[in-house]
Amino acid sequence: MEDNYYLRTSLYDEVKDNAEHLKKFANLLAKSPLKSELEYNKPTIEKYIWQTMQYSPTTLETPSEFLTEIRRFYSKSQFIIDAAISRIMSAKYASEQLSEAVDIINNKTLPNLKISALNLQSELSKNGIQINSLKENEK
C-alpha cells in the first residue's frame, strides 16, 4: 500500500504538470499561429512515471479507472498536437479539443486520484505507517 501511495502521488504530479503544459499549448493554438511557431512550442508529454509504472508490481493496485483515463488523455493529447501541427486539424478546433481533454483530467481524474492517494495515506496512518518520509532515514 505504501509503494502504491507513492506511485499514485508521483503519477498525480506528472499528469498535473503535463496538463499545465498542454493547457498553455491549447491557448497558443487558439491564436492560430504559424506552423513554425507550433513546431517550436510543441509540448513534450513527460511520461517518466507513466513508463516506469510498467515495472512496478504495485501498478495494478491503482484503480483501473485512473490508468485508463490517463492513458486516454496522453493518447488523445498527442493525437491532437500532431494533427494540429501537421494541419490535419484546424488550430481552433485543436485548441478546443485539447482544452476539453485538459479540463476533464483537471476536474475529474486528478481530484479523484488525489482523493484515492489520501485514502491510502489515511489507511496507512491507521496502521501506524508514517509516509512522506524517506525510507532510508527510518533505519
Side-chain angles (χ1 to χ4, degrees):
M1 280 178 78
E2 182 179 4
D3 288 344
N4 193 255
Y5 166 81
Y6 289 115
L7 184 140
R8 290 183 204 190
T9 55
S10 296
L11 181 60
Y12 174 89
D13 290 339
E14 179 178 89
V15 175
K16 185 174 184 233
D17 289 347
N18 283 329
E20 288 172 12
H21 295 304
L22 292 170
K23 187 65 172 179
K24 289 177 186 172
F25 191 69
N27 292 337
L28 175 64
L29 283 168
K31 299 173 186 174
S32 296
L34 297 173
K35 182 177 179 176
S36 59
E37 188 176 353
L38 290 178
E39 289 171 344
Y40 181 78
N41 290 292
K42 180 180 178 178
T44 301
I45 299 173
E46 299 296 334
K47 295 183 181 177
Y48 177 78
I49 302 301
W50 184 251
Q51 291 171 342
T52 302
M53 286 172 60
Q54 67 185 314
Y55 303 108
S56 173
T58 65
T59 295
L60 296 180
E61 292 174 20
T62 304
S64 62
E65 69 184 80
F66 301 125
L67 301 176
T68 299
E69 290 170 4
I70 292 167
R71 177 184 50 79
R72 288 178 180 161
F73 171 66
Y74 283 164
S75 177
K76 184 176 185 175
S77 297
Q78 191 63 60
F79 172 79
I80 293 167
I81 292 165
D82 293 342
I85 290 174
S86 64
R87 301 296 192 192
I88 294 170
M89 184 184 294
S90 76
K92 181 176 174 20
Y93 184 68
S95 173
E96 293 167 1
Q97 291 296 300
L98 192 54
S99 290
E100 180 180 311
V102 169
D103 288 346
I104 290 169
I105 210 79
N106 278 334
N107 297 324
K108 179 185 174 206
T109 308
L110 286 175
N112 289 338
L113 181 58
K114 187 173 190 171
I115 290 168
S116 173
L118 290 173
N119 287 340
L120 271 180
Q121 182 181 33
S122 175
E123 188 66 30
L124 288 164
S125 180
K126 287 178 190 174
N127 290 296
I129 298 172
Q130 178 76 21
I131 55 172
N132 288 334
S133 61
L134 295 176
K135 291 181 182 179
E136 293 81 27
N137 292 338
E138 295 176 2
K139 292 181 181 178

